[in-house]
Amino acid sequence: MADKDPIVNHIYTADPSAHVFNNRLYIYPSHDRETTIKDNDKGDQYDMADYHVLSMDEVGGEVTDHGIALKAEDIPWVSKQLWAPDAATKNGKYYLYFPARDKDGIFRIGVAVGDKPEGPFKAEKEAIQGSFSIDPASFVDDDGQAYLYFGGLWGGQLQCYAGAEDGSNFDAAQLGANEPSTGAALGAKVAKLSSDMLSFAAPATDVQILDPDTSSPIAASDHARRFFEAAWLHKYKGKYYFSYSTGDSHYLCYAIGESPLGPFTYGGRILEPVIGWTTHHSIAEFKERWWLFYHDSTLSGGRNHLRCVKIRELVYDEQGHIHLKDPQPE
Ligand code: FUB
C-alpha cells in the first residue's frame, strides 16, 4: 500500500480517529453511505447510520474491518446522522464518543461503552449532559485526566451557541446560518471528562487559538486559519497540539499550547486541500513514528459524502513544527 491509497475500499470511510491500544493501531472512522440527498451547508448528505472499527498491526499492513460496532437504531436518543466518532480507554473499558442529531434535530454527543477496542459498544440512554455540536475528540493526559474536544460550524451548529461556552444558550434562529463575520472566531469547545468517562466534570470552555504575531484570538474573517471543525489533541515533547479543519478554506492546521485547555498559538498547516469538500484527521504515534490519518473523496471520484481514509507520515522539525514527511504527492 502506498501511503496515499485508501486503507480500505470495500466501504466508504471518513473522519479517522486513530489510537494505539494493546500495541495495535485502531481507527474509528465515520462510515459513509450512499444517499439521494443533495449537498447543502447543513451537511444533510452525510447521512451515516452505523460505525465500523478498523485495525492493523502496522501501517501499510492488512486492515481488519471488525464490522458494525454501534448502529443508530440502537441509540435511544438519536434520530439520524452518526458523524465523526472517537474512542478512549480507561479502567479496562473502551468508550466510543459520537455526535448525532437528537429527536429535535439538534446535534449532541453521546458515549457508548465496550469491553474491547473494536466494540461492540452499548450506548448510554441519553446524550452527554451539557454536550452540543459535533466532532468529539478525546485526549487522556499523562496524569489520567481525560478531556473531550468538540464543535463544528454551519451544519455542526456551533454558531447556534455564540456568546456562551457551555451550550446553555441554543439559538434556533442560527440553525441555517453560517457564522459571525466580525470579531474573534468561534472556538472549539473542551470539557474535562468525569473519572467514569461518561459525563462532563465541568461545563465546556472555549478553545482559544492565538495569532503568533499579535497574541490576539484568530479573527472570524480569517477563514484560512480559524477553527471550523474536526478538533484533535495530541502531545509531543510535553507540548499540547490542537489541530483542526478550516472548513470552507479546506486546510488542516495546528496550534501549540502549554495546557490541554489552551490557549494555543497558531503553528501552521499540516495538509493542503484534498479532493472533496471536507477534510478531517487525527494524529498518533505508532511504532515510534508519527502518522496523519485523514480522508479525501478519491475513492468515489470526488463525491463529497463518499470518502476514504488514508495515512501519511509526519515529522517534526527542531522547533516542534509539523511537516508531512513526503511533500504533497498530488
Ligand atoms: O462526516 C461528517 C462531517 O464531515 C464531520 O463531522 C465533519 O468533520 C466533516 O468531516
Side-chain angles (χ1 to χ4, degrees), residues 15 30 46 48 83-84 134-135 229-230 278 280 295 307:
D15 310 324
S30 298
Y46 301 99
M48 299 83 104
W83 281 13
I134 60 166
D135 289 0
E229 63 186 2
T278 64
H280 186 130
H295 70 230
R307 300 163 290 179

